[in-house]
Structures are given as structure tokens and as C-alpha cells.
Amino acid sequence: MDPPECQGHSHDHSEHGAEEGLGQSLRPQIDFPSVVCLNEAVPNSGQLVLKLHEDRLTDVPNLLSNPDDPELLLHIPFTEAVTIKSISIRGRSSSSTTNSNTNEEDGTSPPHTVKLFVNHTHLDFETARDMEEPTAKLVLLPPHHLPELSSSGTIDYPLRPAGRFQNTINILPKSP
């Protein structure tokens, strides 16, 4: 059985002595020079938020959109075809959000949904909006929704059906 701090994530459990096959980080397979985020407020922050597992709870860096347009489209290519079992998304901690999910300091708020597109090499906002269905649509829980998670703010979302995320050469999370 996984240690409590490891339940639900997809990362290498060898340091915990867990059984093989429980999942591992895909970070070594990310083609970092080719990661691109459309509409990011800070250049290259799309690359920087793809953190090591042990750094996943850090507040910085984070990914914000331009103030006048809340959409983000993050293109994450891999160096080889991979299978994605889950995705970990860190929201703001409850200390930095109000009940309306808006950060009082900078007026930003986390997305309510994230659409995932798989194996689309040239996707922009207009093309994503015109597509009938994304590969998956995640409805994100607000960080304050689960008090026991609010200090970490990390929620792992399993990707189902798993067959849609096999032989993945890139994934594009889009919000909102």
C-alpha cells in the first residue's frame, strides 16, 4: 500500500519501496525546449510549472494568463510516446483565495475546468474552440473545497478512459 502522501499520484515510487507498475513521473520524457504556453503572463512560465514531484507544493513558479484574457493553452510535447494515467494540478492555497476563489492581491482566480487535447500538433485557441469535444474535460475542485487538501492544494485527476491517453506524443491543457 502507498504511503498516505503518495496515494493518487503518478510518480516513481521506488524511493518508497512500493510495488512496480504504480506509475512514474513523465517529466523525463517532456521535450522542455518545445513546451509552449499561449497567453502566459510571464514568458516561459508554462515550462517552469512542470515541476519535479518533490517541488509540486511550491508556490513559485505559477502560471497566470494575461489580465485581459483568462485563456491559457499549454502545449506539452514528449520525446517519445507515453501513457498518461493522471494529471496533478495545484491550485492556490486557501490562505490566498476567498470563498469566491479570487485572489485578493492580484484579482486572479483558478480555472473551473481544464480541457485536455491529445496528439494535436498545431492547436490554437480558435481551433480548440471549434473542436467538437476535447479528449477529456476536467472539472476542477476549488482549493478550499476540501479543507484537508487546502494546505497542499494539489489534486490528482485520473484520466479516463485510459485508452485515450495511450501513445500520447503531446498533451494540451486549455483553460477555461
Side-chain angles (χ1 to χ4, degrees), residues 92-106:
R92 293 181 184 263
S93 68
S94 60
S95 63
S96 65
T97 59
T98 65
N99 288 338
S100 66
N101 283 343
T102 301
N103 184 311
E104 293 174 352
E105 294 174 12
D106 60 15

Side-chain angles (χ1 to χ4, degrees), residues 11-23:
H11 69 279
D12 186 358
H13 285 90
S14 60
E15 72 271 13
H16 303 295
E19 300 172 25
E20 286 189 40
L22 292 176

Side-chain angles (χ1 to χ4, degrees), residues 94 107 115 125 161-162:
S94 60
K115 295 178 181 178
F125 292 115

